[in-house]
Amino acid sequence: MSAHPKDTAPAALDRREFLKASALAGGGLVIGISLAGCGKPADLAKAAGGQPVAWLKIGGDNSITILVDKSEMGQGVYTALPMLIAEELDVPLAAVKVVAAPAGAAYANIFLGTQITGGSTSVREGWQKLRAAGAQARAMLLGAAADEWKVDVGSLKTDAGVVTGPNGQKRTFGELAEAAAKRPLPKDAKPKDASAYKLVGKATPRVDTPSKLDGSAEFGIDVKLPGMKYAALAQSPVLGGKLKSVDSAAAEKLPGVVKVVTTSTGVAVVADHYWQAHVARDALKLSWDEGPNAKLDSAAIRAGLKAAKGTAQSARKDGDAAKALKAAKKKVEASYELPLLAHATMEPMNCTAVVTADRCELYVPTQIQQIAQATAAAAAGLKPEQVSVTTTLLGGGFGRRLEVDFIPAAVEAAKAVGAPVKLIWTREDDMTHDAYRPPAHDSGSAGFDASGALQAVHIQLTSPSVTARMFPPVVEKAVDPFAVEAAANFLYDVPNVSVDYLRHEIGINVGYWRSVSHSLNCFVVESFMDECAHAAGKDPFEFRRALLGKQPRAKRVLEEAAARAGWGKAPAGHHQGIAVMEGYGTYLAQVAEISVEQGKLKVHRIFCAVDCGQRVNPLIVDQQLTGGMVFGLSAALWGEITLAGGKVQQKNFDEYRVVRMNQMPELGVHVLDSSEAPGGIGEPAVALVAPAIANAWFAATGKRVRALPFSASGIA
Amino acid sequence: MITLKVNGKTLETDAAPDTPLLWVLRDHLGLTGTKFGCGKSLCGACTVHVDGSATRSCVTEVSNVVGKDIRTIEGLSSDRSHPVQKAWLELDVPQCGYCQSGQIMAASALLAQNPSPSDADIDSAMAGNICRCGTYPRIRAAIHRAAELMKTGGAS
Ligand code: FES
Ligand code: FES
């Protein structure tokens, strides 16, 4: 999701109300949150289980703990977020212990309104609240020392968790924590100036790396509880189908089977060990009511999107594009098609639950804790506050774990057997029961005047809306902001621009997929602008550059990418394509270099230039950029989920191909130094890969690829 | 009861003989470092060493590895001192980390057989290990680095 602070930060966010401090039971300082209109002061002292609701705890024992309210799914939040606190407190990163925050309104994402790891918001949000929390804590600790020594705060120094006074007096943070907690919350504690950064901006090794080298990192699928049973789930093969009947007699006789439980989302076989549950699942005799999707197939979905009629919503309107198009001397028109995509996280969906009469414990790799909590509560017949959510490490998220469809069956099975149950989906379950990236049928129209100047661009987008299902209030009055990214913010200086969005549902659930609608719309807009460049007889780089005069950051990354990738200087037989985008407050441009080998596409190199504002940890920024490019490349080359008779046809990595080591092009990244506020980095690089390659293919062959993936055109 | 030799220890399990080694390791023996990714020998997440060869434990029936030397990520070294682990740390290879046990086991098996792999050798040895986070460039660099460490005495 693309959440810009300006779009979605709650207006009621009041800095003075934002952070609150309280004493930690046992002596220490807790910096917590109270969001105006959201958290109540009482939340601060107590949450479920009597734990303080906090982000930052400084203990009398000198421990510094940050409760990270973002899920670690590879994007580095367990490193980058504590870095913000460590910076403000002048302590080494290793001194800050990371604990996953529980579910609770106090941990709601200030850009998105509920507890969510998504929208490339983690660092952008932490940049506001964690730096503020760190600065507050520091001011209170210094205030306590100044009072004790009766000296001016300005005469104090901090280093490595020790405050030093003007006469060499020393106190550790732990020694000061209790007195600090009694002080009023400082109103004017400002985060450090960038010139004083010791940690922020430095490539810093990830704190989670060691545990990921010896098998000790605990993902959801690794949770172990005493007496735990395992479950496999049989779900309707047709998406949206319902169970008609189940004969479990044969399955129940198999070794290890504890119980067969009919749940709200399918039939769960619970056994002593996972493989026993898996084998017994195959012995179930199931019949399904296939429901309204029994005849749904990909051709019908494509045709439906193409023929969709209705009132489109305007996402952008500058001037009068319709009128300017009528008056145009030369026109360019093109349509584009994009497929459904699976997330295919490496760790398949799973959830572990324990249910007693009045409690439910959930251990789950999730990106959306409060909704997971509410979902589990409903499944268990409890209230949300009776459900604890422990977020494990996530073996990939990519938006898949914003869904909670794998939670109810685990809870219902655990309740039915009265023991902890770990439910594990197979890869096939995962791939055939995803909430897929929306497909789209989009088009562009452009008009040039007699002098050859581009006067009008109209982009028409048609796709189903994820937000309408997940967050209906957001789309009640406004166009779905997560359907029109990379189009509504059309960067080029054209006097008449309109972007319209027509919501067209397709009968199955669609979901947020890494970079969300950027992955759709960047392909459309950047392919179309390339078509316009060609129509204008201009070099695609120069054409874009000339239209980016009012977008200095976009222009600069475009120029950097072109210069560093050697635009126009490809070796003989190689061809280049370019694309530029703004997403999540980050500006990117990519140059792809390809050749045609026996009629097929070969990608040699992709180079990405980026301005993501202030970097917190450049090492993680680079990881997210290259990782995003690989993710985008898999989708561009082969990514496509198809349906026949309402069933997803791709079941595993043989049918849903992803890039492997031997298929990797060379990747290059250059990130510009910038003092702008941090932009999001986890997602945007995904979106430029397909258009950059498609434009290179045109440069090589004179043929436009207007439908993804490239394999559908027989070239990959 | 089936008796297995895992990470140098003799362990017993009551798993059925046709149970995939993966699930015996994970559920019966508690060695959850070895991961489930596809169950069909398509992703490499479940890679372990059987008598030193990289083996997909998801498609290996436990009865077929009785008496063989099974090594999992937990037993690659006792203290992350294997050159592959050292190189992985130095280059900060993992992102989500889920595929990395399999990557490390595949890489260490490669290096045991071929101490100086070329890029093409790495391609063919590692093509079976998917990383959805896209850590491939660092995996490649880390394998070369591990090869160097092995030569300069970083051996385990
Ligand atoms: S789980 Fe064995 S290869 Fe994928
Ligand atoms: S590190 Fe996430 S799948 Fe490889």
Side-chain angles (χ1 to χ4, degrees), chain A residues 302 334-339 437 440-442 520 523-524 527 531 601 635-640 690-691 694 697 703-716:
Chain A
R302 271 208 303 277
S335 297
Y336 304 89
E337 278 191 319
L338 292 116
R437 198 280 308 268
H441 183 97
D442 303 326
L520 300 163
F523 176 70
V524 172
S527 294
E531 303 211 28
L601 168 68
L637 294 175
W638 306 300
E640 183 173 30
W697 181 260
K703 292 196 190 85
R704 283 285 165 197
V705 177
R706 296 193 180 93
L708 291 179
F710 296 119
S711 57
S713 304
I715 60 170

mmCIF file of all heavy atoms in Angstrom, chain A residues 302 334-339 437 440-442 520 523-524 527 531 601 635-640 690-691 694 697 703-716:
data_model
loop_
_atom_site.group_PDB
_atom_site.id
_atom_site.type_symbol
_atom_site.label_atom_id
_atom_site.label_comp_id
_atom_site.label_asym_id
_atom_site.label_seq_id
_atom_site.Cartn_x
_atom_site.Cartn_y
_atom_site.Cartn_z
ATOM 1 N N ARG A 302 -10.641 -11.983 -17.904
ATOM 2 C CA ARG A 302 -10.028 -11.010 -18.822
ATOM 3 C C ARG A 302 -11.097 -10.277 -19.623
ATOM 4 O O ARG A 302 -11.069 -9.049 -19.751
ATOM 5 C CB ARG A 302 -9.075 -11.710 -19.782
ATOM 6 C CG ARG A 302 -7.666 -11.828 -19.267
ATOM 7 C CD ARG A 302 -6.651 -11.871 -20.409
ATOM 8 N NE ARG A 302 -6.920 -12.955 -21.335
ATOM 9 C CZ ARG A 302 -6.525 -14.216 -21.137
ATOM 10 N NH1 ARG A 302 -5.837 -14.535 -20.057
ATOM 11 N NH2 ARG A 302 -6.800 -15.140 -22.020
ATOM 12 N N ALA A 334 -3.234 2.825 -26.608
ATOM 13 C CA ALA A 334 -2.783 1.454 -26.363
ATOM 14 C C ALA A 334 -3.492 0.888 -25.144
ATOM 15 O O ALA A 334 -3.876 1.639 -24.244
ATOM 16 C CB ALA A 334 -1.274 1.428 -26.119
ATOM 17 N N SER A 335 -3.661 -0.431 -25.148
ATOM 18 C CA SER A 335 -4.273 -1.117 -24.002
ATOM 19 C C SER A 335 -3.293 -2.140 -23.439
ATOM 20 O O SER A 335 -2.491 -2.717 -24.178
ATOM 21 C CB SER A 335 -5.537 -1.858 -24.431
ATOM 22 O OG SER A 335 -6.472 -0.928 -24.888
ATOM 23 N N TYR A 336 -3.425 -2.375 -22.161
ATOM 24 C CA TYR A 336 -2.496 -3.271 -21.454
ATOM 25 C C TYR A 336 -3.270 -4.240 -20.580
ATOM 26 O O TYR A 336 -4.321 -3.893 -20.042
ATOM 27 C CB TYR A 336 -1.536 -2.442 -20.580
ATOM 28 C CG TYR A 336 -0.777 -1.410 -21.370
ATOM 29 C CD1 TYR A 336 -1.297 -0.126 -21.559
ATOM 30 C CD2 TYR A 336 0.438 -1.726 -21.960
ATOM 31 C CE1 TYR A 336 -0.625 0.820 -22.313
ATOM 32 C CE2 TYR A 336 1.134 -0.781 -22.711
ATOM 33 C CZ TYR A 336 0.591 0.498 -22.888
ATOM 34 O OH TYR A 336 1.265 1.421 -23.632
ATOM 35 N N GLU A 337 -2.702 -5.422 -20.433
ATOM 36 C CA GLU A 337 -3.345 -6.436 -19.587
ATOM 37 C C GLU A 337 -2.361 -6.979 -18.566
ATOM 38 O O GLU A 337 -1.219 -7.301 -18.908
ATOM 39 C CB GLU A 337 -3.819 -7.613 -20.444
ATOM 40 C CG GLU A 337 -5.147 -7.369 -21.107
ATOM 41 C CD GLU A 337 -5.682 -8.657 -21.722
ATOM 42 O OE1 GLU A 337 -4.890 -9.419 -22.308
ATOM 43 O OE2 GLU A 337 -6.879 -8.895 -21.581
ATOM 44 N N LEU A 338 -2.857 -7.104 -17.344
ATOM 45 C CA LEU A 338 -2.002 -7.646 -16.282
ATOM 46 C C LEU A 338 -2.711 -8.787 -15.579
ATOM 47 O O LEU A 338 -3.921 -8.739 -15.380
ATOM 48 C CB LEU A 338 -1.639 -6.537 -15.293
ATOM 49 C CG LEU A 338 -0.727 -5.497 -15.953
ATOM 50 C CD1 LEU A 338 -1.378 -4.143 -16.034
ATOM 51 C CD2 LEU A 338 0.610 -5.448 -15.266
ATOM 52 N N PRO A 339 -1.928 -9.821 -15.194
ATOM 53 C CA PRO A 339 -2.520 -11.051 -14.652
ATOM 54 C C PRO A 339 -2.682 -11.037 -13.132
ATOM 55 O O PRO A 339 -2.128 -10.185 -12.440
ATOM 56 C CB PRO A 339 -1.476 -12.102 -15.029
ATOM 57 C CG PRO A 339 -0.177 -11.364 -14.900
ATOM 58 C CD PRO A 339 -0.465 -9.939 -15.343
ATOM 59 N N ARG A 437 -2.789 -10.842 -6.456
ATOM 60 C CA ARG A 437 -2.632 -9.472 -6.960
ATOM 61 C C ARG A 437 -3.710 -9.248 -8.016
ATOM 62 O O ARG A 437 -3.914 -10.089 -8.883
ATOM 63 C CB ARG A 437 -1.235 -9.317 -7.582
ATOM 64 C CG ARG A 437 -0.719 -7.890 -7.771
ATOM 65 C CD ARG A 437 -1.214 -7.106 -8.980
ATOM 66 N NE ARG A 437 -1.084 -7.760 -10.264
ATOM 67 C CZ ARG A 437 -0.043 -7.637 -11.089
ATOM 68 N NH1 ARG A 437 0.952 -6.848 -10.791
ATOM 69 N NH2 ARG A 437 -0.028 -8.273 -12.265
ATOM 70 N N ALA A 440 -5.721 -6.590 -14.295
ATOM 71 C CA ALA A 440 -6.191 -5.294 -14.771
ATOM 72 C C ALA A 440 -6.265 -5.268 -16.288
ATOM 73 O O ALA A 440 -5.541 -6.003 -16.978
ATOM 74 C CB ALA A 440 -5.262 -4.177 -14.286
ATOM 75 N N HIS A 441 -7.160 -4.446 -16.758
ATOM 76 C CA HIS A 441 -7.182 -4.094 -18.180
ATOM 77 C C HIS A 441 -7.170 -2.567 -18.216
ATOM 78 O O HIS A 441 -8.115 -1.925 -17.780
ATOM 79 C CB HIS A 441 -8.432 -4.633 -18.868
ATOM 80 C CG HIS A 441 -8.445 -4.334 -20.347
ATOM 81 N ND1 HIS A 441 -8.027 -5.248 -21.292
ATOM 82 C CD2 HIS A 441 -8.767 -3.209 -21.025
ATOM 83 C CE1 HIS A 441 -8.115 -4.696 -22.496
ATOM 84 N NE2 HIS A 441 -8.557 -3.464 -22.360
ATOM 85 N N ASP A 442 -6.096 -2.016 -18.722
ATOM 86 C CA ASP A 442 -5.895 -0.568 -18.643
ATOM 87 C C ASP A 442 -5.594 -0.016 -20.030
ATOM 88 O O ASP A 442 -5.191 -0.751 -20.925
ATOM 89 C CB ASP A 442 -4.720 -0.252 -17.718
ATOM 90 C CG ASP A 442 -4.904 -0.828 -16.320
ATOM 91 O OD1 ASP A 442 -6.065 -0.887 -15.855
ATOM 92 O OD2 ASP A 442 -3.902 -1.230 -15.714
ATOM 93 N N LEU A 520 1.037 -2.707 -11.128
ATOM 94 C CA LEU A 520 0.158 -2.656 -12.290
ATOM 95 C C LEU A 520 0.422 -1.379 -13.087
ATOM 96 O O LEU A 520 0.694 -1.398 -14.293
ATOM 97 C CB LEU A 520 -1.317 -2.648 -11.850
ATOM 98 C CG LEU A 520 -1.821 -3.848 -11.041
ATOM 99 C CD1 LEU A 520 -3.127 -3.516 -10.342
ATOM 100 C CD2 LEU A 520 -1.999 -5.053 -11.944
ATOM 101 N N PHE A 523 3.739 -0.315 -14.953
ATOM 102 C CA PHE A 523 3.882 -0.992 -16.256
ATOM 103 C C PHE A 523 3.088 -0.245 -17.327
ATOM 104 O O PHE A 523 3.573 -0.009 -18.435
ATOM 105 C CB PHE A 523 3.409 -2.445 -16.156
ATOM 106 C CG PHE A 523 3.433 -3.169 -17.479
ATOM 107 C CD1 PHE A 523 4.635 -3.501 -18.081
ATOM 108 C CD2 PHE A 523 2.249 -3.504 -18.125
ATOM 109 C CE1 PHE A 523 4.672 -4.156 -19.313
ATOM 110 C CE2 PHE A 523 2.267 -4.156 -19.353
ATOM 111 C CZ PHE A 523 3.477 -4.474 -19.949
ATOM 112 N N VAL A 524 1.884 0.153 -16.973
ATOM 113 C CA VAL A 524 1.006 0.818 -17.943
ATOM 114 C C VAL A 524 1.559 2.199 -18.316
ATOM 115 O O VAL A 524 1.758 2.518 -19.493
ATOM 116 C CB VAL A 524 -0.417 0.947 -17.355
ATOM 117 C CG1 VAL A 524 -1.306 1.793 -18.252
ATOM 118 C CG2 VAL A 524 -1.016 -0.438 -17.139
ATOM 119 N N SER A 527 5.168 2.013 -19.925
ATOM 120 C CA SER A 527 5.110 1.461 -21.292
ATOM 121 C C SER A 527 4.494 2.500 -22.227
ATOM 122 O O SER A 527 4.968 2.706 -23.350
ATOM 123 C CB SER A 527 4.252 0.188 -21.327
ATOM 124 O OG SER A 527 4.842 -0.833 -20.587
ATOM 125 N N GLU A 531 5.757 4.481 -25.597
ATOM 126 C CA GLU A 531 5.055 4.498 -26.890
ATOM 127 C C GLU A 531 4.943 5.940 -27.392
ATOM 128 O O GLU A 531 5.080 6.211 -28.592
ATOM 129 C CB GLU A 531 3.660 3.870 -26.760
ATOM 130 C CG GLU A 531 3.719 2.442 -26.224
ATOM 131 C CD GLU A 531 2.610 1.531 -26.737
ATOM 132 O OE1 GLU A 531 2.096 1.760 -27.845
ATOM 133 O OE2 GLU A 531 2.271 0.576 -26.005
ATOM 134 N N LEU A 601 13.676 -13.590 -24.910
ATOM 135 C CA LEU A 601 14.231 -12.512 -24.115
ATOM 136 C C LEU A 601 15.347 -13.016 -23.207
ATOM 137 O O LEU A 601 15.169 -13.994 -22.491
ATOM 138 C CB LEU A 601 13.089 -11.949 -23.254
ATOM 139 C CG LEU A 601 13.417 -10.993 -22.117
ATOM 140 C CD1 LEU A 601 13.925 -9.672 -22.673
ATOM 141 C CD2 LEU A 601 12.169 -10.752 -21.273
ATOM 142 N N ALA A 635 7.922 -11.927 -11.564
ATOM 143 C CA ALA A 635 6.556 -11.627 -12.024
ATOM 144 C C ALA A 635 6.555 -11.253 -13.498
ATOM 145 O O ALA A 635 5.697 -11.691 -14.265
ATOM 146 C CB ALA A 635 5.969 -10.501 -11.188
ATOM 147 N N ALA A 636 7.525 -10.449 -13.908
ATOM 148 C CA ALA A 636 7.550 -9.974 -15.291
ATOM 149 C C ALA A 636 7.767 -11.132 -16.258
ATOM 150 O O ALA A 636 7.115 -11.219 -17.295
ATOM 151 C CB ALA A 636 8.660 -8.933 -15.453
ATOM 152 N N LEU A 637 8.672 -12.027 -15.914
ATOM 153 C CA LEU A 637 8.999 -13.118 -16.837
ATOM 154 C C LEU A 637 7.888 -14.158 -16.899
ATOM 155 O O LEU A 637 7.450 -14.551 -17.972
ATOM 156 C CB LEU A 637 10.307 -13.796 -16.421
ATOM 157 C CG LEU A 637 11.583 -12.955 -16.525
ATOM 158 C CD1 LEU A 637 12.774 -13.723 -15.955
ATOM 159 C CD2 LEU A 637 11.862 -12.540 -17.974
ATOM 160 N N TRP A 638 7.447 -14.621 -15.714
ATOM 161 C CA TRP A 638 6.582 -15.812 -15.691
ATOM 162 C C TRP A 638 5.339 -15.691 -14.832
ATOM 163 O O TRP A 638 4.516 -16.610 -14.812
ATOM 164 C CB TRP A 638 7.375 -17.011 -15.155
ATOM 165 C CG TRP A 638 8.657 -17.271 -15.872
ATOM 166 C CD1 TRP A 638 8.789 -17.564 -17.199
ATOM 167 C CD2 TRP A 638 9.984 -17.271 -15.330
ATOM 168 N NE1 TRP A 638 10.113 -17.742 -17.502
ATOM 169 C CE2 TRP A 638 10.863 -17.573 -16.369
ATOM 170 C CE3 TRP A 638 10.501 -17.056 -14.052
ATOM 171 C CZ2 TRP A 638 12.245 -17.654 -16.185
ATOM 172 C CZ3 TRP A 638 11.866 -17.138 -13.864
ATOM 173 C CH2 TRP A 638 12.724 -17.434 -14.918
ATOM 174 N N GLY A 639 5.217 -14.619 -14.048
ATOM 175 C CA GLY A 639 4.178 -14.586 -13.013
ATOM 176 C C GLY A 639 2.773 -14.533 -13.591
ATOM 177 O O GLY A 639 2.400 -13.560 -14.238
ATOM 178 N N GLU A 640 2.007 -15.581 -13.356
ATOM 179 C CA GLU A 640 0.627 -15.587 -13.817
ATOM 180 C C GLU A 640 -0.141 -16.700 -13.115
ATOM 181 O O GLU A 640 0.245 -17.858 -13.171
ATOM 182 C CB GLU A 640 0.568 -15.817 -15.337
ATOM 183 C CG GLU A 640 -0.848 -15.761 -15.873
ATOM 184 C CD GLU A 640 -0.897 -15.828 -17.399
ATOM 185 O OE1 GLU A 640 0.002 -16.450 -17.994
ATOM 186 O OE2 GLU A 640 -1.847 -15.260 -17.979
ATOM 187 N N ALA A 690 9.289 -4.650 -14.957
ATOM 188 C CA ALA A 690 8.543 -5.077 -16.152
ATOM 189 C C ALA A 690 8.533 -4.005 -17.243
ATOM 190 O O ALA A 690 8.834 -4.312 -18.405
ATOM 191 C CB ALA A 690 7.126 -5.501 -15.780
ATOM 192 N N PRO A 691 8.195 -2.753 -16.916
ATOM 193 C CA PRO A 691 8.220 -1.774 -18.002
ATOM 194 C C PRO A 691 9.618 -1.529 -18.569
ATOM 195 O O PRO A 691 9.764 -1.334 -19.789
ATOM 196 C CB PRO A 691 7.646 -0.495 -17.360
ATOM 197 C CG PRO A 691 7.735 -0.695 -15.896
ATOM 198 C CD PRO A 691 7.645 -2.177 -15.672
ATOM 199 N N ALA A 694 10.156 -4.405 -20.887
ATOM 200 C CA ALA A 694 9.252 -4.336 -22.050
ATOM 201 C C ALA A 694 9.723 -3.254 -23.028
ATOM 202 O O ALA A 694 9.670 -3.431 -24.255
ATOM 203 C CB ALA A 694 7.823 -4.059 -21.595
ATOM 204 N N TRP A 697 12.659 -4.534 -24.880
ATOM 205 C CA TRP A 697 12.215 -5.491 -25.907
ATOM 206 C C TRP A 697 11.743 -4.740 -27.153
ATOM 207 O O TRP A 697 12.034 -5.134 -28.290
ATOM 208 C CB TRP A 697 11.090 -6.376 -25.351
ATOM 209 C CG TRP A 697 10.596 -7.395 -26.327
ATOM 210 C CD1 TRP A 697 9.457 -7.303 -27.084
ATOM 211 C CD2 TRP A 697 11.222 -8.628 -26.689
ATOM 212 N NE1 TRP A 697 9.326 -8.419 -27.879
ATOM 213 C CE2 TRP A 697 10.399 -9.249 -27.662
ATOM 214 C CE3 TRP A 697 12.389 -9.275 -26.283
ATOM 215 C CZ2 TRP A 697 10.713 -10.482 -28.226
ATOM 216 C CZ3 TRP A 697 12.699 -10.498 -26.844
ATOM 217 C CH2 TRP A 697 11.870 -11.093 -27.812
ATOM 218 N N LYS A 703 8.638 -4.470 -31.352
ATOM 219 C CA LYS A 703 7.326 -5.008 -30.941
ATOM 220 C C LYS A 703 7.050 -4.645 -29.484
ATOM 221 O O LYS A 703 7.894 -4.797 -28.613
ATOM 222 C CB LYS A 703 7.307 -6.529 -31.068
ATOM 223 C CG LYS A 703 7.377 -7.018 -32.498
ATOM 224 C CD LYS A 703 6.955 -8.490 -32.578
ATOM 225 C CE LYS A 703 7.237 -9.059 -33.946
ATOM 226 N NZ LYS A 703 8.627 -9.558 -34.087
ATOM 227 N N ARG A 704 5.816 -4.194 -29.262
ATOM 228 C CA ARG A 704 5.401 -3.872 -27.906
ATOM 229 C C ARG A 704 4.840 -5.098 -27.210
ATOM 230 O O ARG A 704 4.023 -5.816 -27.795
ATOM 231 C CB ARG A 704 4.278 -2.813 -27.932
ATOM 232 C CG ARG A 704 4.740 -1.418 -28.199
ATOM 233 C CD ARG A 704 5.429 -0.803 -26.985
ATOM 234 N NE ARG A 704 6.152 0.392 -27.426
ATOM 235 C CZ ARG A 704 7.121 0.969 -26.708
ATOM 236 N NH1 ARG A 704 7.474 0.481 -25.542
ATOM 237 N NH2 ARG A 704 7.720 2.038 -27.173
ATOM 238 N N VAL A 705 5.264 -5.298 -25.970
ATOM 239 C CA VAL A 705 4.616 -6.316 -25.142
ATOM 240 C C VAL A 705 3.639 -5.567 -24.253
ATOM 241 O O VAL A 705 4.049 -4.778 -23.404
ATOM 242 C CB VAL A 705 5.648 -7.071 -24.280
ATOM 243 C CG1 VAL A 705 4.940 -8.069 -23.369
ATOM 244 C CG2 VAL A 705 6.653 -7.771 -25.165
ATOM 245 N N ARG A 706 2.356 -5.775 -24.496
ATOM 246 C CA ARG A 706 1.352 -5.022 -23.742
ATOM 247 C C ARG A 706 0.605 -5.893 -22.738
ATOM 248 O O ARG A 706 -0.360 -5.448 -22.136
ATOM 249 C CB ARG A 706 0.366 -4.348 -24.697
ATOM 250 C CG ARG A 706 1.017 -3.306 -25.601
ATOM 251 C CD ARG A 706 -0.017 -2.430 -26.306
ATOM 252 N NE ARG A 706 0.615 -1.449 -27.163
ATOM 253 C CZ ARG A 706 0.868 -1.634 -28.460
ATOM 254 N NH1 ARG A 706 0.523 -2.761 -29.058
ATOM 255 N NH2 ARG A 706 1.455 -0.675 -29.171
ATOM 256 N N ALA A 707 1.046 -7.122 -22.615
ATOM 257 C CA ALA A 707 0.429 -8.008 -21.619
ATOM 258 C C ALA A 707 1.536 -8.737 -20.872
ATOM 259 O O ALA A 707 2.501 -9.214 -21.475
ATOM 260 C CB ALA A 707 -0.500 -9.009 -22.292
ATOM 261 N N LEU A 708 1.381 -8.822 -19.575
ATOM 262 C CA LEU A 708 2.335 -9.580 -18.760
ATOM 263 C C LEU A 708 1.720 -10.928 -18.420
ATOM 264 O O LEU A 708 0.500 -11.053 -18.409
ATOM 265 C CB LEU A 708 2.672 -8.792 -17.496
ATOM 266 C CG LEU A 708 3.502 -7.514 -17.723
ATOM 267 C CD1 LEU A 708 3.747 -6.800 -16.390
ATOM 268 C CD2 LEU A 708 4.831 -7.817 -18.418
ATOM 269 N N PRO A 709 2.556 -11.928 -18.088
ATOM 270 C CA PRO A 709 4.012 -11.905 -18.117
ATOM 271 C C PRO A 709 4.557 -12.069 -19.535
ATOM 272 O O PRO A 709 3.807 -12.370 -20.460
ATOM 273 C CB PRO A 709 4.375 -13.120 -17.262
ATOM 274 C CG PRO A 709 3.257 -14.087 -17.518
ATOM 275 C CD PRO A 709 2.019 -13.236 -17.679
ATOM 276 N N PHE A 710 5.865 -11.913 -19.674
ATOM 277 C CA PHE A 710 6.489 -12.066 -20.997
ATOM 278 C C PHE A 710 6.313 -13.490 -21.523
ATOM 279 O O PHE A 710 6.223 -13.696 -22.723
ATOM 280 C CB PHE A 710 7.979 -11.706 -20.935
ATOM 281 C CG PHE A 710 8.215 -10.255 -20.585
ATOM 282 C CD1 PHE A 710 8.908 -9.896 -19.443
ATOM 283 C CD2 PHE A 710 7.730 -9.242 -21.403
ATOM 284 C CE1 PHE A 710 9.114 -8.559 -19.111
ATOM 285 C CE2 PHE A 710 7.933 -7.904 -21.081
ATOM 286 C CZ PHE A 710 8.619 -7.565 -19.936
ATOM 287 N N SER A 711 6.239 -14.445 -20.620
ATOM 288 C CA SER A 711 6.066 -15.837 -21.079
ATOM 289 C C SER A 711 4.753 -16.005 -21.843
ATOM 290 O O SER A 711 4.663 -16.851 -22.731
ATOM 291 C CB SER A 711 6.112 -16.809 -19.893
ATOM 292 O OG SER A 711 5.124 -16.470 -18.940
ATOM 293 N N ALA A 712 3.752 -15.189 -21.514
ATOM 294 C CA ALA A 712 2.469 -15.305 -22.216
ATOM 295 C C ALA A 712 2.609 -14.915 -23.680
ATOM 296 O O ALA A 712 1.805 -15.312 -24.522
ATOM 297 C CB ALA A 712 1.412 -14.443 -21.530
ATOM 298 N N SER A 713 3.638 -14.126 -24.002
ATOM 299 C CA SER A 713 3.902 -13.773 -25.398
ATOM 300 C C SER A 713 4.887 -14.744 -26.032
ATOM 301 O O SER A 713 5.364 -14.515 -27.152
ATOM 302 C CB SER A 713 4.494 -12.361 -25.489
ATOM 303 O OG SER A 713 3.662 -11.424 -24.871
ATOM 304 N N GLY A 714 5.264 -15.764 -25.303
ATOM 305 C CA GLY A 714 6.176 -16.774 -25.853
ATOM 306 C C GLY A 714 7.623 -16.322 -25.915
ATOM 307 O O GLY A 714 8.437 -16.949 -26.587
ATOM 308 N N ILE A 715 7.954 -15.246 -25.196
ATOM 309 C CA ILE A 715 9.340 -14.762 -25.298
ATOM 310 C C ILE A 715 10.145 -15.031 -24.027
ATOM 311 O O ILE A 715 11.321 -14.678 -23.952
ATOM 312 C CB ILE A 715 9.402 -13.264 -25.667
ATOM 313 C CG1 ILE A 715 8.700 -12.405 -24.609
ATOM 314 C CG2 ILE A 715 8.792 -13.036 -27.044
ATOM 315 C CD1 ILE A 715 8.924 -10.914 -24.786
ATOM 316 N N ALA A 716 9.520 -15.613 -23.029
ATOM 317 C CA ALA A 716 10.279 -15.938 -21.810
ATOM 318 C C ALA A 716 9.845 -17.309 -21.302
ATOM 319 O O ALA A 716 8.803 -17.808 -21.664
ATOM 320 C CB ALA A 716 10.033 -14.901 -20.717
#
